[in-house]
Amino acid sequence: MPTERAWTDECLADPATRDHPQVAVRDMLACSLTAGQTAVFGGRLDLGWRGWGAATVATVADGTGTATVPFLVTETDRQYLGADDLKAFAAALAAFPSDEAFQALVDRVGDKHVRAELAEAARRFPVRALRLLAPASRAAGADAALVRRMLTRHVAAHRPLALAVLPELPADAAEVVEPLTRAQDTSEDAPLAALPDVLVTPPWTAPRTTARPRVVTGATAPDGTRVSWRDGERSAWATTESWVTGWQAYEPLDVLVDKLLRGDLHPWHTVGVLVNGPADRVRPFLADWDGMDHCYDGAEVFKPLVAAHEEAALPPLLRMAPHHPAAMAEVMLPFLDVRVARLMAQWLHRLKTAGRTARTWLLRHGTDAARLLVPDAVGAAGAGRTAAEGALRALVAAQGPEGVRTAAGEYGPGAAEAVEQLLATDPLVSALPARMPQPAAWIDPRVLPRIRLGTGATLPVPAVSHLLTMLAVSKPGAPYPGLDRVREVCEPGSLAAFARGLFEEWRVVGMPPKEAWTLQALGWFGDDETVRALTPVIRAWPGEGAHHRAVEGLDVLAAIGTDSALLHLHGISQRVRFKALRQRAQEKIAEVADELGLTAEQLADRLVPDLGLDAEGATTVDYGTRRFTVGFDEALRPFVRDAEGRRLKDLPKPGVRDEKELATAERKRFLALKKDVRAIAADQVRRLEAAMVDGRSWTGAEFRQLFVEHPLVRHLARRLVWSAGRDGAAVTFRVTPAGVCADARDEPLTVADDATVTLPHPLRFAGELGVWAELLADHELVQPFPQVARPLHEPSAEEAAGARLTRFEGVTVPVGRLLGLQKRGWERGVPQDAGVERWFSRRVGPERHLVVQLEPGIAVGVLDEAPEQTLRTVWLDAHPGDHWEGRTYPLRFADLDPVLVSELLTDLTELTTQN
């Protein structure tokens, strides 16, 4: 009864009705309110969890107008509010013509979901945005920096309006806005005649004319399936960790196979039986099996299946592929089959995640892949031909045209001519999508860092707009060909700064998925400064619900490809708390290393930058009137000495007598050096300690190049004891400050180029521990990690013969101390029911893990819910998981390396005995 306002007043006056226990009654009352009736609620109208849905918000707003805003602001602060609900409330607030609503969004600008709606509100109410963003931008902190970015972009987009209302703005707002209204300086813009055509009249600005494609009939791709493995890949897939690798038969395997073939086996056990059962019996079952019950478990489940059955495993993969392309694309990488080729071409053309894997498949198989796709690429018009043409173009762009031409020639002159016609198409035209993307409202080239040409002139705004279009039509791993021309004529540093500015704008507006190409742009234009800025963002993204963005960030680091980028990528692969991201980084590093013919660790050895240090591993900071020497201690922490050799607490700030410009630049270089070393040091110390435990080795020549002669790593190498072996004999030695190798008697020692050099664990010192401890003490050498003074432990006879470490079971430890094990290679378990991590584990070899069962388990994101954890069971297992009393555990500690066992016992002893 919308006209009976008195009835509403009567309900509001009665507390029993106003606060009725039934949410539906309170909702009806809220939907009957007028603006003057809202005050009785004091800014909070509780409609229960998710009671403020879209229909209720719209209905209440229809009756109360902007008086609805306090209710919505209160709801945005509700505890445990989900991201979707927050986005909905922020979107609603952005629609209200109210300072209170706009200010509520400004106050929450630190949240990416709110930030996107604040940008929309600013476009909807541009004058209000000028008035309210300006004072908020003057505060300190990260949120104010975000507001300043948004205000700068807003003024640039609405400059005439800002100039018109400037006299009407409050004085504090006008003071901030006025400098931003000044027109962009175009005095240094390059003339259009000096720019390449792709930046002046790109192909998409003119009507497209395409030649009628030649169609060849009768070309047929070869039948059959072939599996092409890389070295060691099949064995790695066979032991890929998932529930399958730890599966055990709970009945005789022959009985389980009988059940499988009869259809009586529980679906959860199917893959386990297929992987472990006799091939001659289970392999025929694969021909009709669809595998859909396990698609959601990811590629890891199917890798052992492919390793076991190769070609016979393809039919179920093909059946699952259309429904789960991202997972199945990875599992089909070794297969050469026309059906796989067609799927890969389609995914490359249509999909993002699966498309990246499809590109990997294409480049992996090269000419063989082209041979399977040529018939479709020269066949009748349609989706199949379009996808195949795109795949061949991608292959040519990455590997050159020869492989594609060779494959086409095998189908006769007609196919060869058709492919030549395809290759002759201007790549600037052929790379364009059928529908060009529309520029996003938040992208304004006038607020982005200026790009300079090699001549020093700046790129005009219209040319920058064309560059943004090129970036928008690019795909991961397949940048628009015109970008090569841009790189040729533009100064690299300014391109990198432009890409970083664009990326930050994208982050400010909440990282809309349609413009994710701004992240990829960092890979195409980025430099080492980009790497330093991007790496912490990648590390943080999984914890912010953006795992897929973090994975894309790894691709960006690989695309930048500098030593610094690959070093940071390797660091993520070893030391990041999100397991899925760490595994993907390891895969990416392995891909790069494989291309170079190295292992991941060998690549990491070669990536450590020298940071411009001199031959002695130091650098000089020159203030003009004063000079300082920077050296490094046992943990690679930099220290400073003055000209008289006195050690200072830190590098002094430039003084009035110093040469101002020189001293400022030198101090900036020193601060950058400290930052770079801090990022490198912990990883290098960790890697050397791991090399000691794992028994890694180098040739004498590698040792000299990577450790003795490296200006930074030498500071670590000189504080450690090494071992050189040749012809069955080994000797321990150290590296002196002069770069000479010396034995335990401090006599010079020559390490041959073909010697095997290791970093020996104290268990392998052959009775020389005391000698080396005394010698290092005499030379006042502090080791970067315990080596000669390392604690040693061994299992009891009972423990060595079994899989359990009962001495640690039943001990209760603080959860914080438990989490500290992650720095030593331990990993948290996969969250189970209710988001509880029930175990900790450490990998000790292929299909070997030491697992600690926790009670009550760690609640994800709520560590204080169970501040203490009891080590219920400690045992060896093929894969991490729950401990089951009914299972058998055949692994034995006696079969492990004594060094590794000592390290495990050290970890657990320290965990359970600290005060």
Side-chain angles (χ1 to χ4, degrees), residues 187-517:
S187 61
E188 297 184 2
D189 279 3
L192 296 182
L195 301 178
D197 290 343
V198 74
L199 287 173
V200 181
T201 55
W204 60 86
T205 61
R208 294 190 220 176
T209 58
T210 57
R212 185 179 181 85
R214 179 168 181 172
V215 176
V216 179
T217 59
T220 304
D223 291 328
T225 303
R226 182 157 61 93
V227 181
S228 176
W229 295 104
R230 289 179 169 175
D231 289 344
E233 186 177 39
R234 186 178 183 184
S235 59
W237 280 34
T239 56
T240 298
E241 291 182 6
S242 70
W243 68 263
V244 178
T245 50
W247 182 87
Q248 288 188 8
Y250 56 94
E251 291 184 89
L253 200 53
D254 286 341
V255 173
L256 294 177
V257 173
D258 290 339
K259 288 185 175 182
L260 173 73
L261 300 180
R262 290 197 311 265
D264 296 340
L265 184 69
H266 191 286
W268 194 87
H269 293 283
T270 300
V271 180
V273 174
L274 288 171
V275 170
N276 295 284
D280 60 331
R281 293 196 65 198
V282 302
R283 192 164 286 170
F285 180 83
L286 290 165
D288 299 312
W289 180 58
D290 64 16
M292 291 297 181
D293 291 326
H294 299 283
C295 284
Y296 296 99
D297 294 334
E300 289 73 17
V301 166
F302 294 99
K303 286 183 177 180
L305 184 74
V306 173
H309 297 289
E310 297 193 291
E311 292 95 333
L314 183 57
L317 302 184
L318 291 171
R319 282 189 283 274
M320 292 182 280
H323 307 283
H324 301 275
M328 293 304 107
E330 183 178 354
V331 185
M332 290 194 288
L333 281 174
F335 288 99
L336 271 167
D337 183 288
V338 67
R339 296 166 294 177
V340 174
R342 286 170 176 159
L343 279 172
M344 295 293 181
Q346 292 169 15
W347 292 338
L348 181 68
H349 180 62
R350 295 188 299 107
L351 303 180
K352 192 172 184 180
T353 302
R356 283 196 294 268
T357 309
R359 184 173 300 279
T360 300
W361 178 88
L362 193 68
L363 303 185
R364 170 174 174 157
H365 296 291
T367 302
D368 289 332
R371 186 174 294 112
L372 297 172
L373 289 169
V374 165
D376 286 353
V378 300
R385 173 163 180 152
T386 301
E389 287 178 339
L392 293 184
R393 288 193 182 101
L395 194 55
V396 169
Q399 298 181 347
E402 293 310 313
V404 173
R405 284 185 173 133
T406 298
E410 296 175 8
Y411 292 96
E417 291 174 11
V419 168
E420 284 299 329
Q421 180 184 353
L422 171 67
L423 300 183
T425 304
D426 185 352
L428 296 179
V429 175
S430 62
L432 295 177
R435 180 179 298 176
M436 294 297 294
Q438 296 300 311
W442 60 268
I443 300 178
D444 191 327
R446 294 168 295 181
V447 302
L448 295 171
R450 300 303 304 273
I451 299 173
R452 289 194 174 273
L453 300 174
T455 61
T458 52
L459 204 61
V461 167
V464 175
S465 297
H466 292 323
L467 172 58
L468 289 168
T469 301
M470 288 187 241
L471 294 172
V473 300
S474 298
K475 295 181 179 179
Y480 182 70
L483 295 179
D484 290 335
R485 186 71 180 113
V486 172
R487 276 191 288 262
E488 290 174 6
V489 301
C490 293
E491 194 275 319
S494 69
L495 274 177
F498 169 83
R500 288 195 298 274
L502 179 63
F503 172 69
E504 288 303 324
E505 291 293 308
W506 179 63
R507 291 182 69 202
V508 165
V509 297
M511 302 191 300
K514 285 184 63 176
E515 285 78 46
W517 51 264

Side-chain angles (χ1 to χ4, degrees), residues 627-704:
R627 293 165 65 89
F628 307 91
T629 301
V630 180
F632 300 89
D633 66 13
E634 72 279 358
L636 293 187
R637 290 183 294 259
F639 60 82
V640 180
R641 296 188 187 276
D642 62 16
E644 285 73 39
R646 293 187 297 266
R647 186 161 175 169
L648 309 178
K649 289 185 177 180
D650 199 357
L651 180 70
K653 294 181 179 179
V656 293
R657 297 184 179 180
D658 296 319
E659 295 181 24
K660 184 176 180 181
E661 290 188 8
L662 175 63
T664 300
E666 285 286 88
R667 179 170 175 79
K668 183 177 180 181
R669 180 175 69 86
F670 171 75
L671 294 176
L673 175 68
K674 285 181 66 175
K675 185 176 181 181
D676 287 343
V677 171
R678 188 162 54 247
I680 295 168
D683 188 53
Q684 294 310 307
V685 172
R686 181 203 60 75
R687 290 183 61 248
L688 285 172
E689 187 172 15
M692 178 190 70
V693 173
D694 297 340
R696 276 194 69 203
S697 64
W698 300 264
T699 66
E702 287 177 321
F703 170 72
R704 192 159 37 254

Side-chain angles (χ1 to χ4, degrees), residues 17 37 71 133 188 221 296 337 350 366 391 432 439 456 506 556 564 599 616 624 675 704 764 816 828 862-863 880 909:
T17 305
Q37 295 171 322
F71 300 143
L133 289 176
E188 297 184 2
Y296 296 99
D337 183 288
R350 295 188 299 107
L432 295 177
W506 179 63
V556 169
S564 177
T599 66
E616 300 303 317
K675 185 176 181 181
R704 192 159 37 254
R764 300 189 176 107
R828 296 166 67 166
V862 196
L863 296 181
T909 300

Side-chain angles (χ1 to χ4, degrees), residues 4 10 55 134 198 315 356 398 423 531 613 644 676 699 719 735 851:
E4 300 296 336
E10 182 181 344
V198 74
R356 283 196 294 268
L423 300 183
V531 171
L613 303 179
E644 285 73 39
D676 287 343
T699 66
R719 292 172 165 87
V735 180
V851 189

Side-chain angles (χ1 to χ4, degrees), residues 721 732 743-746 765 767-778 788:
V721 180
T732 52
D743 63 18
R745 298 184 304 277
D746 242 358
F765 263 73
E768 293 183 313
L769 268 181
V771 175
W772 277 111
E774 184 176 347
L775 185 61
L776 294 179
D778 290 344
V788 298

